[in-house]
Amino acid sequence: MYNNKTLMYKQYTPYCPVPGKHLTVESRPFDPDAPPPPGGITVKNMLLSFDPYQRGQMRRPGDAGTYSLPWVEGQPAVVTTLSTVLKSDNPGFSPGDLVSAMADAGEYAAVPAELAAQTRVYPPLPPGITIA
């Protein structure tokens, strides 16, 4: 089990979110050795994207919103990530693939089949090029 640092959406606000109240960083248990979700993938996130569109994800359940998925209070924020696939239960992905995914904003994430369908595989990086 791994203590997975994760950005959590704690509480709705119609105003500017306050760190520690509306958004927190918490260590949550995660087992990177566990099987991936059915039809999904397990990833190690290298980069997380934080963009203005995410303000529209901070809405009450049932509120009309944007094209993006709403965040759920008490759950990890779901953001666009640049990740490496660790495990796959989906024929479109192999361990080691570099992907852009909608995933929990943590060090590791289990991407369910519904979000894996939106995940994009990138070509391998050229020799000598790394993402740190």
Side-chain angles (χ1 to χ4, degrees):
M1 204 56 72
Y2 180 81
N3 285 326
N4 191 29
K5 280 189 189 173
T6 305
L7 178 67
M8 301 293 294
Y9 176 54
K10 298 303 274 188
Q11 182 182 1
Y12 168 78
T13 180
Y15 306 106
C16 186
V18 175
K21 181 176 181 182
H22 304 106
L23 298 169
T24 61
V25 175
E26 299 177 7
S27 288
R28 296 169 48 98
F30 187 86
D31 184 359
D33 296 322
I41 55 177
T42 301
V43 297
K44 179 168 178 39
N45 294 327
M46 295 182 290
L47 297 170
L48 305 175
S49 174
F50 298 106
D51 297 298
Y53 83 85
Q54 291 165 327
R55 183 63 185 103
Q57 291 178 284
M58 293 182 249
R59 59 184 187 260
R60 295 185 193 277
D63 282 358
T66 65
Y67 57 88
S68 58
L69 296 170
W71 289 350
V72 178
E73 288 182 352
Q75 297 296 314
V78 176
V79 301
T80 303
T81 68
L82 184 63
S83 311
T84 301
V85 175
L86 299 177
K87 293 179 181 269
S88 175
D89 187 50
N90 185 309
F93 305 97
S94 299
D97 282 350
L98 179 65
V99 297
S100 175
M102 292 297 293
D104 290 353
E107 295 170 279
Y108 293 92
V111 180
E114 312 82 70
L115 294 179
Q118 301 172 26
T119 299
R120 179 177 171 186
V121 178
Y122 289 110
L125 295 173
I129 303 295
T130 60
I131 298 174

